[in-house]
Amino acid sequence: MAKPLYSTNCFNTLIRVAEDCPAQRGEEPQPRGGQPTVAVLQYRMLADAPYKYTSDDVVFATSSAGRALDTKAGKKERNLARETFFSRGQACMRASPLGKRFGWGVHADAEGRIAIYAVDSKRYQALARDPEVAQTRAMRSKRA
């Protein structure tokens, strides 16, 4: 019997920045110690290709399991690693440092593909006011 697969995808939703986010505008995350952080990897994926990837794509690609795959890994190997990864629940983009620390909202379209918008942008403000778009917030960094 196959294990159920969990998903982090959401549809027609804006993940607004966290209430305790210190950024007043969208800030580009910087590498730490010369190494890209999860925030840097997610930012690069989404800034370079809005609405190309789903939340599952981004979460897996920036996880240690996704990064551990060799670039020469075949499709079968990638699918198996992804299936194993999503056989357990994973943190969604609400837990992303982009919305918690760097001032980026994450919008998922009707097909579940995502893009990021700076909290100070007109597009972010329009999405935040749109009654057709479900609203949620990135997780707080500190307890209330």
Side-chain angles (χ1 to χ4, degrees), residues 33-98:
Q35 298 295 316
T37 62
V38 168
V40 169
L41 295 171
Q42 290 178 346
Y43 176 83
R44 287 179 185 163
M45 272 185 87
L46 296 170
D48 293 343
Y51 299 111
K52 179 177 180 184
Y53 302 106
T54 65
S55 177
D56 282 354
D57 296 335
V58 175
V59 168
F60 178 70
T62 59
S63 71
S64 58
R67 291 188 313 230
L69 287 175
D70 190 286
T71 54
K72 297 174 184 145
K75 190 171 185 172
K76 192 173 188 175
E77 185 180 355
R78 282 191 184 283
N79 287 342
L80 182 60
R82 188 173 166 131
E83 190 174 305
T84 301
F85 182 75
F86 285 110
S87 67
R88 295 178 45 190
Q90 300 296 328
C92 67
M93 290 301 291
R94 288 187 59 224
S96 169
L98 294 178

Side-chain angles (χ1 to χ4, degrees), residues 4-143:
L5 294 183
Y6 295 90
S7 178
T8 65
N9 291 341
C10 55
F11 304 89
N12 200 28
T13 300
L14 175 65
I15 301 172
R16 296 167 59 183
V17 298
E19 294 164 332
D20 63 347
C21 178
Q24 298 300 310
R25 59 182 162 276
E27 300 173 359
E28 183 175 345
Q30 299 300 311
R32 192 176 310 133
Q35 298 295 316
T37 62
V38 168
V40 169
L41 295 171
Q42 290 178 346
Y43 176 83
R44 287 179 185 163
M45 272 185 87
L46 296 170
D48 293 343
Y51 299 111
K52 179 177 180 184
Y53 302 106
T54 65
S55 177
D56 282 354
D57 296 335
V58 175
V59 168
F60 178 70
T62 59
S63 71
S64 58
R67 291 188 313 230
L69 287 175
D70 190 286
T71 54
K72 297 174 184 145
K75 190 171 185 172
K76 192 173 188 175
E77 185 180 355
R78 282 191 184 283
N79 287 342
L80 182 60
R82 188 173 166 131
E83 190 174 305
T84 301
F85 182 75
F86 285 110
S87 67
R88 295 178 45 190
Q90 300 296 328
C92 67
M93 290 301 291
R94 288 187 59 224
S96 169
L98 294 178
K100 290 173 69 170
R101 160 70 186 90
F102 294 100
W104 295 96
V106 180
H107 177 248
D109 67 10
E111 296 172 19
R113 296 173 307 203
I114 60 176
I116 54 174
Y117 294 100
V119 68
D120 59 324
S121 70
K122 289 182 179 177
R123 181 68 177 141
Y124 177 94
Q125 298 303 322
L127 288 166
R129 288 190 305 267
D130 188 342
E132 300 293 314
V133 176
Q135 307 285 322
T136 189
R137 285 221 181 241
M139 293 179 178
R140 297 173 56 94
S141 295
K142 297 176 179 75
R143 288 186 177 187

